[in-house]
Amino acid sequence: LLSVGPRLPNRSSALPSTPLLHSRYKSKEDLEAYSAHPSHVSVVKGYVLPIIDDIMSVDWVADDLATASLVPPPGSAVRVSFLKLKEDADKDTVLGVVRGIPESFKQISEFSLGENFSPGRAKGFSIASLAVFPGPRELEAVDSNEELVNYQKDKVRDQIESVVVVDYVVPEPPPAQSASL
């Protein structure tokens, strides 16, 4: 699955208008095959690298998606969060707190969390999570509950050096092209 959609503004990230390419694979081997495929390499070299300033990639195994679809439904709002831990951080504590987020925010319809296995491309970000919401309203409802959001952040604030959060909406598929005679 490859998904690109309009980025939603949020209060969690000061990034400029930055595209996010979200892709999911059934296995590490599938990701490796895709990444090395000549067509992929050609597109990256010919069309992506000439127009971008920087790339960051965080890859993790999402064992917790066994029952979920690989494709978030069109119209879903997706929040991808990247965490860079402090040098002395307790990684297991951070993972435990992040793993518990769906229990506090019932608007989340799907959640994935993992440790990065591609450190060379991640700029020091070692944990990432992806939360899927039915739509932008549900995502905004989470953000508007500032007391609960701050309570969750306070649990790990002293463990985290940096956070990047990117929200986007999964677009509707393009209309089918009809053949003209």
Side-chain angles (χ1 to χ4, degrees):
L1 156 83
L2 289 176
S3 176
V4 178
R7 183 171 173 261
L8 297 172
N10 65 45
R11 295 174 283 208
S12 301
S13 181
L15 286 176
S17 182
T18 300
L20 170 80
L21 174 65
H22 165 229
S23 57
R24 295 185 187 183
Y25 306 88
K26 291 184 180 182
S27 68
K28 281 185 181 182
E29 294 77 22
D30 287 351
L31 169 60
E32 291 167 3
Y34 168 78
S35 296
H37 194 279
S39 295
H40 169 74
V41 172
S42 173
V43 167
V44 169
K45 286 182 178 178
Y47 298 99
V48 177
L49 294 178
I51 63 169
I52 62 163
D53 293 326
D54 201 8
I55 292 178
M56 181 180 86
S57 177
V58 177
D59 302 315
W60 72 92
V61 174
D63 294 329
D64 46 351
L65 288 179
T67 59
S69 166
L70 287 178
V71 181
S76 299
V78 177
R79 170 165 285 170
V80 185
S81 302
F82 307 97
L83 306 177
K84 184 185 291 186
L85 303 183
K86 290 182 178 176
E87 198 169 301
D88 61 343
D90 180 353
K91 176 184 64 172
D92 292 333
T93 297
V94 174
L95 286 167
V97 169
V98 176
R99 190 172 285 110
I101 286 175
E103 296 168 17
S104 297
F105 300 101
K106 300 299 183 189
Q107 299 92 331
I108 296 173
S109 57
E110 179 184 321
F111 188 79
S112 170
L113 162 71
E115 292 183 64
N116 180 44
F117 63 78
S118 300
R121 303 181 303 157
K123 302 189 184 305
F125 289 86
S126 59
I127 295 175
S129 68
L130 181 136
V132 178
F133 299 82
R137 284 190 201 130
E138 291 81 2
L139 175 59
E140 180 57 36
V142 164
D143 287 344
S144 67
N145 190 343
E146 291 182 33
E147 186 176 324
L148 184 54
V149 168
N150 287 330
Y151 172 73
Q152 294 295 328
K153 288 179 179 179
D154 286 344
K155 292 179 183 179
V156 294
R157 190 177 313 270
D158 62 338
Q159 307 280 324
I160 306 293
E161 179 180 318
S162 183
V163 176
V164 172
V165 177
V166 180
D167 299 334
Y168 76 99
V169 175
V170 177
E172 295 290 332
Q177 298 286 331
S178 60
S180 57
L181 299 173

